[in-house]
Structures are given as structure tokens and as C-alpha cells.
Amino acid sequence: MARRTLTRTVLAAVSVAALFTLGACSSDAGTGTTGGGETDAADDGVITLGFSQVGAESGWRAANTKSIQDTLTAENGFDLKFSDAQQKQENQIQAIRSYITQGVDVIAFSPVVETGWDAVLQEAKAAGIPVILTDRAVDSSDETLYESFIGSDFVKEGEMAGEWAVEQYDGEGYQAVELQGTTGAAPAIDRKEGFESAIAGSDIEIIDSQTGNFTRAEGKTVMEGFLNAHDDIDLVFAHNDDMGLGAIEAIEAAGLTPGEDIKIITIDAVKDGMQALADGKINYIVECNPLLGPDLAEIAQKVIAGEEVEKRIVVQDEAFDQEAAKEALPTREY
Ligand code: AHR
């Protein structure tokens, strides 16, 4: 078995060139005029977009930031204002308020946690500034607070990880530990749910589960704690590659062999994770595609042009075993 592909709902394929031609021709792009009134895409054809990023917690995040910064360039008709929230919701709220005050044409952000956004999103709406969500969802009953949500299906990712675990290990009485992502974040909530539903009915049991905050350092620390508390860990399910890579360090330091004594399944498929998979230290990775810049650019162009946009764009993900990782690595983009 090599790869699997998630079912996807995507935009009709539009080449990047066509996309930016569209932007350059948007003479009525002034629908993005904001309450602040300092910028107006109709005046100069440039879309001022304020982006609030979660942080720099992982290889995935670095690739996601690069994709956004490489795509939303002046050359492509954007004036990108970028801020790093260092994994803190209050920093994101502050950044969004600052973008509202500056009167940007569009606000985009990847919400660090799911809840607590309604007030600031109401402020953006009152100022007439459209909001696009990337990567992570918000938990709000008011869908008018944002135009579109672009990102992976995290529940499906967790399910794919769990289904592979069941295929490989059911019947062996495996004891698993789980390294969760940031508490309250959509990928942590959804991947947990997907994995648990996939292993339900099998004899794989999750004996411990804690957050490692999506970072390598915290993944290592939490894994050290698991190894001290339990003699009998067979499997690690890490919500991202970085925490899985931290777990590898802890397992090796304990004199065990990752991928053999303790099996490891992760999510992301960034280069470091894929290398560990190719080396046999990780056993399986479900991809989470971080290259969201082009879709964000396209949706922002459409919103400013007053066109209808899809409310939910599900990004394509694959999954890799060792053989598939070796094949993919030489041309891996991130
Ligand atoms: O929201 C996507 C998740 O956030 C990635 O899986 C993880 O690596 C990142 O920190």
C-alpha cells in the first residue's frame, strides 16, 4: 500500500497566472473599501490584506507562512501585512483590531483556537472588511462573520491515521499514547475525534493523552513523561510531525528504537517527518497540505471583485508509508 487521497471539494482549477490576471483587471475591486477608508483596492488595483498567523510552532507552520508570503506579493497585486501571534489568541485579536483600524481591504487569519472570535469578527463585519479563514476553523453559529474557510479536513486526517493503525496492529493489544496539538485548536480537537472513532471496536487502547502544543520540544517532554509513567507503550499517535520528532528523541534517549519498539504515526508530512518515515523511525504519516497561499489569493481576489466564493474549500491531503515517503522525498516542496 502506498498513498491514499482524501475526497476533496476544491475550487475549479485556475492557474496562478490566470488568477493574477483576474486581479489586475478588477476595475470594480473597490467593493473592499473599508470603514477605515485608508485603502481601497479600486484606487490602485492593489489588495491590502492583513494576515494574522498562529505562530512559528512547527515545520508545517513555516511552510504555510512561506506559501502565503511568496504568493501575496506586490508583483501579484497584494500589499500583505503579516503578523505572528506566537500561539496566543489575544495577540491575534489585537492584530485583527489593528487591521480594522488601518482599513485593510481583507483580513485573513488562522485561528489559534476555535472559540472566542465572534466579538472581533463582528467588529470587522461592522467595518465592512471581509474575513477569510485559512487552515483552522472558528466555532461560531454565525457563518456570515467570514466569507470562506480554506483548509484540510482534520477529522478525516485523524480517521486515516486510526484506520491505518487498525489495519496494521489490531489483534495485538496495542497500548497507545497520544500527543495532542494545542488545547482548543481545531486540528487537536478534530484529529483526536477522527483517530478515536477509527480505532473504536479494535483492541488498540489509548492509555495516556496530553498536549505537546504542536512543538518538537514539548512533544519530547511529554513523551519523556509517558515513558516514565508507562512500561508498555506500543504506539504513539502525534497530532503533528514535530511532536512525533520530539517523541523520537525521547524514545532514543530511553534506549528504545522508534518505529520498532514503539510505532509512531503522525500528521503533516513535512520534510523532516518524511525523512524520519523513510528512515523507519516513523511508521506512517497523514499529510496536511500547508500550501494555502494560492487559494487564499484567489478567494481574496474574488471577494474584492464582488464574486461568489465557496464557503468551505477542503484542501487535498495524502498519506504515506515508508516506501511512498522514499519516493516523494526527492521532489517534496515542504
Ligand atoms: O493547523 C495545522 C497544524 O498546525 C499542523 O498540523 C501543525 O503542525 C501546526 O502547528
Side-chain angles (χ1 to χ4, degrees):
M1 178 183 43
R3 298 170 171 209
R4 297 187 217 168
T5 305
L6 285 179
T7 311
R8 63 190 291 206
T9 311
V10 280
L11 289 167
V14 176
S15 75
V16 173
L19 163 68
F20 296 124
T21 305
L22 168 72
C25 295
S26 294
S27 57
D28 63 341
T31 49
T33 304
T34 68
E38 291 171 22
T39 58
D40 186 335
D43 290 344
D44 53 8
V46 173
I47 297 173
T48 303
L49 186 145
F51 188 89
S52 171
Q53 180 60 288
V54 168
E57 72 282 4
S58 63
W60 188 98
R61 190 63 56 193
N64 179 248
T65 292
K66 185 174 184 312
S67 172
I68 289 161
Q69 291 179 332
D70 285 355
T71 312
L72 278 72
T73 59
E75 200 181 31
N76 290 332
F78 287 91
D79 174 11
L80 174 65
K81 297 182 185 302
F82 184 91
S83 60
D84 175 340
Q86 298 178 337
Q87 295 237 67
K88 291 197 175 77
Q89 183 175 34
E90 61 266 33
N91 291 347
Q92 286 201 297
I93 290 174
Q94 203 178 11
I96 293 167
R97 290 208 166 112
S98 158
Y99 294 144
I100 294 170
T101 306
Q102 290 172 57
V104 299
D105 298 314
V106 181
I107 291 171
F109 76 114
S110 175
V112 61
V113 291
E114 270 190 341
T115 55
W117 300 104
D118 282 38
V120 73
L121 292 180
Q122 288 287 4
E123 290 168 32
K125 188 177 175 182
I129 303 177
V131 172
I132 300 168
L133 304 176
T134 68
D135 167 36
R136 298 182 182 179
V138 296
D139 184 359
S140 170
S141 54
D142 186 353
E143 288 206 342
T144 68
L145 295 178
Y146 61 92
E147 304 296 319
S148 185
F149 165 38
I150 306 159
S152 294
D153 179 342
F154 297 136
V155 175
K156 186 76 187 161
E157 289 173 349
E159 279 169 6
M160 289 169 75
E163 281 161 11
W164 190 82
V166 170
E167 267 171 40
Q168 299 296 312
Y169 308 127
D170 191 21
E172 317 245 356
Y174 265 29
Q175 310 231 60
V177 292
E178 181 181 31
L179 288 165
Q180 294 181 42
T182 304
T183 304
I189 296 165
D190 293 353
R191 288 171 184 166
K192 180 172 186 54
E193 179 193 323
F195 188 81
E196 283 177 354
S197 80
I199 64 166
S202 77
D203 68 359
I204 299 169
E205 186 197 354
I206 299 176
I207 58 167
D208 215 335
S209 177
Q210 283 178 42
T211 180
N213 210 18
F214 281 128
T215 71
R216 201 176 292 204
E218 287 176 75
K220 182 180 178 188
T221 305
V222 175
M223 189 66 207
E224 284 166 354
F226 288 156
L227 288 163
N228 285 334
H230 310 282
D231 307 323
D232 43 8
I233 299 169
D234 302 299
L235 174 66
V236 175
F237 170 48
H239 289 190
N240 79 344
D241 287 353
D242 279 83
M243 292 189 294
L245 292 163
I248 288 173
E249 290 176 28
I251 291 166
E252 286 176 337
L256 298 167
T257 307
E260 288 180 23
D261 297 326
I262 298 180
K263 310 289 196 286
I264 303 177
I265 301 174
T266 66
I267 293 176
D268 273 357
V270 294
K271 265 189 190 153
D272 286 358
M274 293 286 271
Q275 189 59 59
L277 176 55
D279 293 343
K281 296 183 178 191
I282 290 178
N283 302 83
Y284 194 64
I285 303 183
V286 177
E287 182 184 46
C288 182
N289 189 336
L291 306 180
L292 306 183
D295 276 349
L296 172 58
E298 179 175 351
I299 293 298
Q301 297 269 17
K302 284 186 170 177
V303 166
I304 291 299
E307 294 177 24
E308 283 288 309
V309 295
E310 296 82 348
K311 198 77 190 177
R312 175 73 171 108
I313 296 161
V314 183
V315 175
Q316 178 184 356
D317 291 317
E318 299 180 355
F320 300 87
D321 61 12
Q322 188 179 29
E323 196 189 313
K326 282 182 182 164
E327 215 176 286
L329 260 171
T331 55
R332 195 79 184 146
E333 221 182 303
Y334 52 88

